[in-house]
Amino acid sequence: MASKDNLYPAIVIGLGMAGAGAAVYLSRMGVQPIAFEKGLIGGKLNESPKVEDYPGFKGSGLELSQRLKGQLAENEIEVHDEEVVSLDRDLDSNLFTIVTTKGEYKAYAVVIASGIEYGNPTISGMEDVDSSFVSHKPLADALSIKGKGIVVWTDNDNGLYAAEYLAGFAKSLVLVVKDVSLVSKGLLDRISGLGNVQLVPGIVSKVENVGAGQMVTINGGTKGQESFEASKLFAFVGGMFQKPNTAFVKIREVVDDQGNIAVDNFSRTFVKGLFAAGDVQQKDLRRLSTAAADGAMAGIMAYDYVTDLRDSGKMKI
Ligand SMILES: Cc1cc2nc3c(=O)[nH]c(=O)nc-3n(C[C@H](O)[C@H](O)[C@H](O)COP(=O)(O)OP(=O)(O)OC[C@H]3O[C@@H](n4cnc5c(N)ncnc54)[C@H](O)[C@@H]3O)c2cc1C
């Protein structure tokens, strides 16, 4: 539903699992939001080869992504194919202003669900290797490693699923797991058991160009330090190497030192009317199930907020 002055009751930024959840909850409860998505609906789902730990679903990330897309359409949620470049608030009117690559919009409530990106690890030699040597996109880069040796470095299940998928393309795969107690044991056993996979508990400490290829050095494992030739390093390590998509948030008080958005147990930031859901939240467990739960919570809380404004006559639409 187009609005006169581009003013809307609620706007959702990002349509991965969290943002789609928030939008669907808002719509079904009676506040129709609009949403901005700069890439593909489904977000990280489109990079997830296999999902088997989301309750009630087993299949590819793409399949679940398509279902989200269908659900948004069924609920007639207006999706704008636009990147948000700025989110600020007007202290006088208590409205949020959102500037995108295509225009300017205002809203009473905003849900930030823009996710994170895996960054490049800051390890020795990184500045010397070609930028395409490190990848975080298993689906997009699988064909380029066909018949070659690769290293996958992870500290979470996301990287394990990526490794399992990539093992179907690579000639050999060295799986570097920072702390095996932090990943699912059954999944790790299944992948370590594949004929072309070698598990090395530890961390990647160095990358270097050697002749026409690259060498990856790993600290840990039984030998203390080992080096492997690799055509690509797939890195899915969290913590300091993760980059939340929050540069556009000009209300910097809600953003922590790492760029995550701080919220309470109800996905509320301390700024009234501003909510955050999914991976972009300051939290430890970044999974589909937690993103869905955050999204639902943000949607319900945003609905309550907008309804209160409406009931008290403070809303102009
Ligand atoms: C390889 C891989 C495999 C995984 N496998 C699993 C699994 O099996 N099980 C599981 O539970 N979890 C898995 N995960 C993690 C899971 O995918 C994420 O935790 C979850 O998808 C996060 O959802 P989200 O909505 O918070 O963020 P995202 O899915 O990242 O969505 C954020 C969306 O916001 C958009 N966006 C960002 N900035 C802007 C902007 N400025 N303007 C407009 N739009 C913007 C992005 O384009 C994106 O679509 C995996 C992750 C990866 C990378």
Side-chain angles (χ1 to χ4, degrees), residues 132-277:
S132 65
F133 177 59
V134 183
S135 168
H136 315 286
K137 298 191 186 300
L139 295 187
D141 287 335
L143 284 178
S144 73
I145 54 129
K146 217 166 182 336
K148 298 178 180 164
I150 61 164
V151 171
V152 178
W153 180 21
T154 187
D155 59 3
N156 56 60
D157 283 6
N158 302 346
L160 292 189
Y161 281 116
E164 186 176 41
Y165 176 74
L166 291 166
F169 295 84
K171 183 174 169 217
S172 60
L173 187 156
V174 176
L175 177 59
V176 186
V177 181
K178 201 170 154 195
D179 181 350
V180 291
S181 72
L182 294 179
V183 296
S184 299
K185 187 178 178 312
L187 183 60
L188 184 63
D189 290 349
R190 188 170 88 199
I191 299 165
S192 315
L194 296 172
N196 58 346
V197 173
Q198 179 183 348
L199 172 66
V200 181
I203 58 162
V204 172
S205 59
K206 191 164 80 174
V207 291
E208 59 194 316
N209 292 316
V210 177
Q214 286 86 20
M215 202 66 122
V216 176
T217 301
I218 298 156
N219 283 355
T222 47
K223 296 186 185 147
Q225 192 173 73
E226 277 179 275
S227 295
F228 297 88
E229 237 183 278
S231 67
K232 239 181 211 327
L233 167 64
F234 288 85
F236 303 94
V237 268
M240 60 193 275
F241 304 136
Q242 267 167 202
K243 293 192 194 333
N245 294 316
T246 51
F248 63 86
V249 181
K250 305 300 172 204
I251 312 159
R252 294 313 288 176
E253 316 88 271
V254 300
V255 182
D256 73 13
D257 291 349
Q258 276 86 48
N260 307 295
I261 311 258
V263 290
D264 65 10
N265 288 340
F266 298 92
S267 295
R268 296 181 293 209
T269 71
F270 71 86
V271 172
K272 282 200 171 111
L274 186 60
F275 307 85

Side-chain angles (χ1 to χ4, degrees), residues 13-19 36-45 47-54 82-85 113-118 136 138 157-159 161-162 236 245 248 277-280 286-289 291:
I13 303 173
L15 282 175
M17 179 60 86
F36 296 108
E37 172 50 62
K38 70 171 182 176
L40 296 175
I41 290 176
K44 286 281 176 298
L45 273 173
E47 292 162 29
S48 310
K50 192 192 272 182
V51 177
E52 53 183 11
D53 52 6
Y54 186 70
E82 297 170 40
E83 177 175 358
V84 173
V85 293
S114 44
I116 56 158
E117 301 305 329
Y118 283 106
H136 315 286
D157 283 6
N158 302 346
Y161 281 116
F236 303 94
N245 294 316
F248 63 86
D279 283 1
V280 79
R286 292 185 163 87
R287 310 295 297 159
L288 288 164
S289 49

Side-chain angles (χ1 to χ4, degrees), residues 52-75:
E52 53 183 11
D53 52 6
Y54 186 70
F57 177 84
K58 193 172 174 183
S60 73
L62 281 174
E63 191 186 335
L64 190 49
S65 191
Q66 286 307 310
R67 291 196 193 181
L68 284 188
K69 201 171 175 179
Q71 205 172 15
L72 290 166
E74 269 166 34
N75 287 283

